[in-house]
Amino acid sequence: MVVSPVRLTLLTKPGCHLCDAARDAVAEVVRELGSAASVDLEELSILDDPELAQRYWDEIPVVLVNGRVHTIWRVDP
């Protein structure tokens, strides 16, 4: 059985202290999973994408799992 990787996207913006904490929390979870799961991790700045900025400006950081919102503002491992 082939298991597809989990697509994990962290939406951030520069200078965001909550984004820094979210980045650390996400990294911790990915480390703990180790080889138990395949994770494709991507970080995007909402400042680089007007559509993301409009949609998520008041909610960052945002964690998307397979394209769906999983967590906003405070990210807990």
Side-chain angles (χ1 to χ4, degrees), residues 20-43:
D20 295 338
R23 186 179 300 108
D24 292 344
V26 167
E28 179 182 335
V29 170
V30 171
R31 267 193 314 274
E32 287 178 6
L33 288 172
S35 63
S38 178
V39 178
D40 288 338
L41 177 59
E42 174 180 38
E43 182 173 338

Side-chain angles (χ1 to χ4, degrees), residues 49-62:
D49 185 321
E51 185 178 326
L52 289 177
Q54 182 178 4
R55 184 168 181 186
Y56 295 110
W57 185 264
D58 292 330
E59 297 178 336
I60 62 160
V62 178

